[in-house]
Amino acid sequence: LCTLSPGDVVIVGFKYAGTEEFAVLTLVDLDEGAEILATDNGYVQGTDSFRSGEGILSFTVPPGGLPAGSLMYYVSGSGTSDFTPSSGSFALSDSGDQILLYQECGGVVNFVYGVTNERAWNADGDDADASGESNL
């Protein structure tokens, strides 16, 4: 289910050093079965693709959906995270990294939110610590 628009969910807190963590707040009701993906892979504007080599986490909205105002969490190494590893190794760098929230809709990436602790968005996403500014 690809029902989210940019800003429907937002990252309200994150920690890049030590135990990596982030929290996502829903600003709209989420439909049962909707999937939200989170990655620390950089986004390359020129090729409209992600860099490889980092990780992807996934969260699927449980039966009954979630009301606006709900929080979802990721805590690395925790058995209680709402987001679970999907592929690669999700490992945030305190020297520069990003968290991009998105949905995949028929092979098309639909960005819904992103944060970076890097100096600025980098159009080329040319290293592991940088990401291009998405279509947010």
Side-chain angles (χ1 to χ4, degrees), residues 22-37:
F22 65 86
V24 176
L25 174 68
T26 64
L27 300 180
V28 298
D29 295 342
L30 300 184
D31 295 331
E32 173 181 330
E35 182 179 45
I36 300 171
L37 301 168

Side-chain angles (χ1 to χ4, degrees), residues 52-130:
S52 61
E54 299 193 65
I56 300 172
L57 304 172
S58 67
F59 170 77
T60 302
V61 178
L66 286 177
S70 297
L71 285 169
M72 291 111 36
Y73 298 95
Y74 171 73
V75 180
S76 63
S78 166
T80 60
S81 292
D82 297 307
F83 285 83
T84 58
S86 178
S87 68
S89 176
F90 189 90
L92 299 171
S93 171
D94 60 353
S95 65
D97 219 333
Q98 61 284 319
I99 304 169
L100 300 173
L101 301 178
Y102 66 100
Q103 293 185 299
E104 284 187 354
C105 310
V108 175
V109 173
N110 175 38
F111 288 103
V112 293
Y113 199 81
V115 296
T116 182
N117 71 339
E118 179 66 13
R119 64 201 170 279
W121 294 104
N122 172 337
D124 295 328
D126 57 2
D127 64 48
D129 296 336

